[in-house]
């Protein structure tokens, strides 16, 4: 993986001098420590690139890269798994090497931007400058695996792989906080696309092209979006399982393309174990990496060891005590180049650090829960489908009656939400409204951004339609947060992480399958569980999902009390409009054990830390 910085002015406004530009580019040095490239048209465009060499390790893979006809110059972060197949479709054959970047430039010459982007199967953020039309295109992959931030104030475009490279640019350093985006961050604990915390800063959305024309106009094109229209074709369990196996096998095989050592993350869960099982078919005794803890409640390393032994792979297990994990706190927090508040970034950072000792690329199991209905949220919302369209008072009566008669076995508190979409949105928020209003009273009447529509779907009485709606929202909600976590943690270790479940082949397969094959109480992701049981029958299905976690509640009351408390109380929070006394009260209530407030505390901490 790599990091880039772009500066462009359609009106030929004076930009940074080269020294200052390179200084800002160096903030993404860990994303690409192997080499650095620079291009300027000596007028209104600068492109900088920090390379993590994965494919074509020679100079033939260096960036920024010009097309063979010199019309296009690009910087590209990611990997294109089908790029050698795309070369066979081109008239041009005189390539200098085997770089996927060079393939992209050749495709642009023959096909143009839209057709090229639609043909790419991989993960990518891409900036294309058209020297003929004098326009620039910012492009992000269809699933949002790679980030692309930008600032645009009508005069100067700054685009980068890290958000801090945008808001620290002199053109944007003095911008004020966007209160609507701040409230969105506090509620969802990360900064969803297409928003930036500071005014005039943004993100390219997954599957989007943002084009800046020479006359200063900006056009946005959505070239791909996960569909919500119910259109499955396979309801037979055996047929569906076979389709999943074929798609995952094809995906993993394609993602093994690498000129550096490659391995995989392996937990005790379904998704990473499936990915590892397919990797074993194409790679003899691959390396896999597992993080374990001294907590029996959370430790999955023994189960991961069972999978590794059954597959006969080389496993590296790093089993840490809580105190040892805590020793890496500051390192992991240095990865926060944007507002991001998911404390599982710490174990993700640790498994990336472990993997980097042996490999340059690791496959992960992310995306399986979203595509195959793995989260409990699908059932928590779906079980109320028969009553969600009732009037509010009637829903409250049904909820109260069921709570009294069965302890809410038939319905749950999700029923009380105004709609299914708002219920899902609420399940992702850990900062209660009364606390948020105390800490940030100025935001109490602030609405979320008008174009934030991840959970804007209507109630449905059709369970399949509801599942499609929830999946779409998880894909553009929770999954984007997970992908940001993995990118931040892995890039801090200069490790590339690939996501086979988000390959086009697997997404297309998931869309063909009846969602009811993976839905129901206790049946989350059942289809993938069935495939795993067939492939590795010696490891029995786990009764209860664990997952490596950290005891943040206790840490904040002991080991991290001073670190986090000082960070919050000594930070200048005037930009955010926070009430210092309310923050003090929040901390004291947690420190004294009156309430478990780790989520709001960490959300505030991460906001002040990234600056």
């Amino acid at each position: 993986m790599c990091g880039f910085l772009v500066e462009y002015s359609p009106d030929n406004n004076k930009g940074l001098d080269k020294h200052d530009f390179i200084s800002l580019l160096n903030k993404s040095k860990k994303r690409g420590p192997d080499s650095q490239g620079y291009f300027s048209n000596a007028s209104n465009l600068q492109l900088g690139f920090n390379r993590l060499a994965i494919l074509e390790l020679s100079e033939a893979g260096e960036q920024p890269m010009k097309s063979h006809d010199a019309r296009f110059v690009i910087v590209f972060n990611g990997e294109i798994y089908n790029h050698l197949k795309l070369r066979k479709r081109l008239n041009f054959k005189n390539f200098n090497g085997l770089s996927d970047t060079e393939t992209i430039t050749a495709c642009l010459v023959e096909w143009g931007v839209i057709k090229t982007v639609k043909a790419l199967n991989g993960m990518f953020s891409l900036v294309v400058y058209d020297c003929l039309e004098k326009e620039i295109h910012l492009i992000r992959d269809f699933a949002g695996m790679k980030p692309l931030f930008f600032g645009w104030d009508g005069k100067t475009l700054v685009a980068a792989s890290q958000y801090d490279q945008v808001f620290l640019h002199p053109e944007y350093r003095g911008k004020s906080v966007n209160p609507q985006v701040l409230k969105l961050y506090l509620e969802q604990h990360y900064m969803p696309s297409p928003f930036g915390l500071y005014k005039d800063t943004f993100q390219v959305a997954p599957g989007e092209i943002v084009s800046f024309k020479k006359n200063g106009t900006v056009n946005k094109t959505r070239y791909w979006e996960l569909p919500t229209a119910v259109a499955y074709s396979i309801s037979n369990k055996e047929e569906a399982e076979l389709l999943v196996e074929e798609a995952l096998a094809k995906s993993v095989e394609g993602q093994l393309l690498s000129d550096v050592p490659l391995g995989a993350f392996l937990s005790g869960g379904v998704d990473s174990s499936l990915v590892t099982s397919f990797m074993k078919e194409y790679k003899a005794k691959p390396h896999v990496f597992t993080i374990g803890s001294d907590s029996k409640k959370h430790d999955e390393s023994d189960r991961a060891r069972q999978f590794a032994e059954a597959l006969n792979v080389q496993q590296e297990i790093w089993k840490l005590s809580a105190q040892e994990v805590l020793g890496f706190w500051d390192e992991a927090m240095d990865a926060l180049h944007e507002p991001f508040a998911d404390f599982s970034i710490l174990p993700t950072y640790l498994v990336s650090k472990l993997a980097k000792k042996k490999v340059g690329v690791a496959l992960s199991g992310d995306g399986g829960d979203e595509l195959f209905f793995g989260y409990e949220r699908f059932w928590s919302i779906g079980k109320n489908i028969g009553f969600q369209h009732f009037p509010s008072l009637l829903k409250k009566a049904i909820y109260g009656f069921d709570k009294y008669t069965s302890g809410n076995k038939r319905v749950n508190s999700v029923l009380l939400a105004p709609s299914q979409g708002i219920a899902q949105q609420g399940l992702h928020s850990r900062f209660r409204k009364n606390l948020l209003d105390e800490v940030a009273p100025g935001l109490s009447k602030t609405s979320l951004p008008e174009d934030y529509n991840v959970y804007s779907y209507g109630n449905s009485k059709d369970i399949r339609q509801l599942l499609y709606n929830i999946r779409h929202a998880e894909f553009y909600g929770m999954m984007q947060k997970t992908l940001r976590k993995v990118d931040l943690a892995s890039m801090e270790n200069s490790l590339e992480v690939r996501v086979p479940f988000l390959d086009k082949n697997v997404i297309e397969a998931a869309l063909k399958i009846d969602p009811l094959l993976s839905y129901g109480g206790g049946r989350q992701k059942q289809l993938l569980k069935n495939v795993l049981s067939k492939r590795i029958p010696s490891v029995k299905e786990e009764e209860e999902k664990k997952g490596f976690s950290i005891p943040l509640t206790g840490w904040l009351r002991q080991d991290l009390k001073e670190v986090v408390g000082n960070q919050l109380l000594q930070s200048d929070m005037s930009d955010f409009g926070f009430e210092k006394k309310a923050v003090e009260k929040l901390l004291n209530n947690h420190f004294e054990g009156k309430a478990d407030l780790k989520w709001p505390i960490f959300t505030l901490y991460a906001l002040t830390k990234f600056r």
Side-chain angles (χ1 to χ4, degrees), residues 183-190 192 341-342 369-370 375-378 380-381 414 420-432 436 448 452 454-455 457 469-482 599-600 603:
K183 187 167 187 176
L184 178 59
Y185 163 77
L186 294 172
E187 287 192 3
Q188 294 298 305
H189 314 288
Y190 80 113
D342 183 344
D369 283 306
E370 288 80 9
Y375 293 121
E376 175 65 27
R377 288 185 290 277
F378 288 100
S380 294
I381 299 169
V414 169
Q420 292 161 339
I422 292 175
Q424 186 179 1
Q425 182 175 344
L427 289 173
H428 287 292
S429 180
R430 310 287 183 88
F431 208 140
R432 296 197 308 274
L436 199 158
L448 298 184
Y452 180 66
V454 171
Y455 302 98
Y457 60 86
N469 290 341
I470 299 174
R471 175 168 62 184
H472 183 274
E474 290 293 314
F475 193 91
Y476 292 106
M478 179 65 178
M479 191 181 82
Q480 299 304 312
K481 181 182 177 185
T482 299
W599 272 104
T603 301

Side-chain angles (χ1 to χ4, degrees), residues 226-235 243 373 462-469 471 507-516:
L226 188 75
T228 55
V230 178
Y232 63 91
S233 58
I234 298 174
S235 295
L243 178 63
F373 311 99
D462 182 314
I463 186 59
R464 289 185 175 88
Q465 181 61 68
L466 174 58
L467 290 173
Y468 269 63
N469 290 341
R471 175 168 62 184
I507 294 176
E508 290 169 359
L511 293 171
K512 293 177 182 178
I513 296 171
D514 186 344
L516 296 187

